Amino acid sequence: MSLVKIQIITLLKMTFKGFFTERGIFIFLCFLDLFKYSTSYNVSDATYLHNQLFDQSVYKTLVLPDYPVIVSVEYNMLTVNSLDMKSQTLSTSGWFTVVWNDSRLAWNKSSHGNIENIYVSEDSVWHPKLIVQNSIDDLSSLGDGTTVRIRNDGKIRWELPAILSTSCDMDVTIFPFDSQICDIELASWGFHTDAVNLTFLKTNLDLEDYNINGEWNIVSTSQHASELTEEDLVYSELFFRIVFERLPNYYIMSVIIPVILTAVLTSVTFILPVESGEKVGYILTVLLALAVLLTMFTDSMPTTSKHTSVLVVFLTVTVGLASFVIIVTILIIRLYHEPENYIAPDWMHSLVRRFRKPQNSGVDKNQIDQTELTENNKLQGSGHRSCKEVSLDNIKPTYTNIELALFFDNFLFIVFTVLYVLITVCFAITLCVAE
């Protein structure tokens, strides 16, 4: 116990003898000490400290506090505003926490009213010039009149709020089951590593206040330091990396299922009766729907050849097959309406004979011209079978144009249905393997 306190206790005991015990007086003085320290801050002390620290004849904001200055940075992300495939940009909201030491701004706390922290404008102190290198909006240095906090040991903490729009090279090959890797590149502007050296304040991004995005899920984050060399000068860089995974439910319901269903509708063209007169109109409507889906989808894709979406390839193949179906449908309708004396190519009859048994053929074996058989019989030797027997054995059934058209409608319906199923399965396998 100090001599002053002993004297005060003795004086109080002599004055208020009988009212206070020695222990009670001691507790009373302790409360006085606590009250003193809790109410020690006053404006005059803070003003005096500011005037002392920022005396323009002593403190220069353009003079580095050390050489090099170790600047620690942390990125605190609040939300993902957007991750745009078309423009390949990532928009985030958050703030940078920047910390460094300036020994010129340290003071003895007990000699200045126990003031532990003071707050000044960023322009009042030396601070590093920081830029986001891959920003697509603005390359000016961060900070716009924000406040810095200075601790009594000279440690400065600078909070920089920022809405960032940064470039992000996106790979949409397996859209909508894709994952994207985006970087936020922070660099020291104007100060090479011998003057300012950037380091990380923490081992990872701060996501404590992060608000979940409805389209993208953050899989992981990481950070690494790098260097940029320019004209034999090395500049410090920090990379904050974020790995995103798309939540595909919305695109499955609004893109993939409609595309597959529309593609399957193409083969239905062949089971429409020719007499209905709707075959060409129907397939043109399906083709138009596919073209609209393809246009709407490609409008949201990046205009780059580095990565091609499997879904775009699937749509393109589907549109190509639908165009081919239009041509085939027109040919079948033309064959159906050909006159009876028109004889279809032999390969059509051969194909029909291969896949089905002959039924009511266009030529009856019993209706063979007897005169032609008699003349041909005269040309045969006696050792051979009769001409009628040879002709009846070698005759091949032919089909009417209507029969051929109906056959090709049924046949192509099966072929294109199987083909679309195979293409869809290949599309699904490709997505699974690539994922």
Side-chain angles (χ1 to χ4, degrees), residues 263-281:
V264 172
L265 290 177
T266 305
S267 59
V268 179
T269 307
F270 296 108
I271 61 176
L272 279 175
V274 178
E275 296 86 351
S276 66
E278 299 294 335
K279 293 174 73 73
V280 175

Side-chain angles (χ1 to χ4, degrees), residues 149-307:
R149 185 181 70 186
I150 307 173
R151 203 167 65 181
N152 64 293
D153 59 356
K155 185 176 182 179
I156 301 177
R157 188 179 184 91
W158 187 23
E159 308 283 355
L160 292 168
I163 299 177
L164 304 176
S165 293
T166 54
S167 61
C168 179
D169 186 15
M170 302 185 67
D171 184 355
V172 294
T173 303
I174 57 173
F175 172 88
F177 304 97
D178 53 326
S179 298
Q180 306 299 336
I181 301 175
C182 298
D183 291 330
I184 298 175
E185 304 173 13
L186 189 70
S188 171
W189 183 257
F191 296 102
H192 51 80
T193 52
D194 291 336
V196 174
N197 190 11
L198 299 181
T199 61
F200 293 106
L201 183 62
K202 293 184 179 180
T203 58
N204 218 327
L205 275 75
D206 188 351
L207 301 177
E208 183 178 353
D209 300 316
Y210 175 73
N211 295 318
I212 297 176
N213 185 272
E215 183 179 358
W216 296 95
N217 180 40
I218 295 181
V219 178
S220 63
T221 61
S222 61
Q223 50 192 26
H224 66 277
S226 182
E227 293 180 342
L228 173 66
T229 303
E230 188 173 332
E231 296 182 356
D232 298 329
L233 293 176
V234 180
Y235 297 89
S236 184
E237 291 181 317
L238 298 180
F239 287 79
F240 300 90
R241 175 161 294 180
I242 311 169
V243 179
F244 296 98
E245 181 183 49
R246 191 191 301 273
L247 302 176
N249 294 340
Y250 169 78
Y251 292 96
I252 291 175
M253 300 300 296
S254 63
V255 177
I256 294 183
I257 292 180
V259 167
I260 293 177
L261 291 178
T262 307
V264 172
L265 290 177
T266 305
S267 59
V268 179
T269 307
F270 296 108
I271 61 176
L272 279 175
V274 178
E275 296 86 351
S276 66
E278 299 294 335
K279 293 174 73 73
V280 175
Y282 172 81
I283 186 57
L284 285 175
T285 303
V286 174
L287 178 62
L288 180 61
L290 289 171
V292 170
L293 287 173
L294 179 60
T295 302
M296 293 176 59
F297 184 67
T298 54
D299 282 344
S300 62
M301 291 288 103
T303 55
T304 176
S305 299
K306 293 175 62 176
H307 309 287

Side-chain angles (χ1 to χ4, degrees), residues 7-27:
Q7 292 175 349
I8 293 175
I9 293 173
T10 303
L11 181 60
L12 289 173
K13 287 174 65 177
M14 293 174 61
T15 306
F16 300 100
K17 188 176 181 180
F19 291 92
F20 295 101
T21 63
E22 184 175 347
R23 179 177 296 179
I25 295 173
F26 177 78
I27 295 174

Side-chain angles (χ1 to χ4, degrees), residues 130-142 185 189:
L130 303 175
I131 65 167
V132 178
Q133 284 196 129
N134 61 338
S135 174
I136 63 172
D137 291 336
D138 191 7
L139 280 177
S140 60
S141 59
L142 297 174
E185 304 173 13
W189 183 257

Side-chain angles (χ1 to χ4, degrees), residues 255 259 290 293-294 297 310-320:
V255 177
V259 167
L290 289 171
L293 287 173
L294 179 60
F297 184 67
V310 176
L311 188 56
V312 171
V313 175
F314 175 76
L315 268 171
T316 304
V317 172
T318 303
V319 171

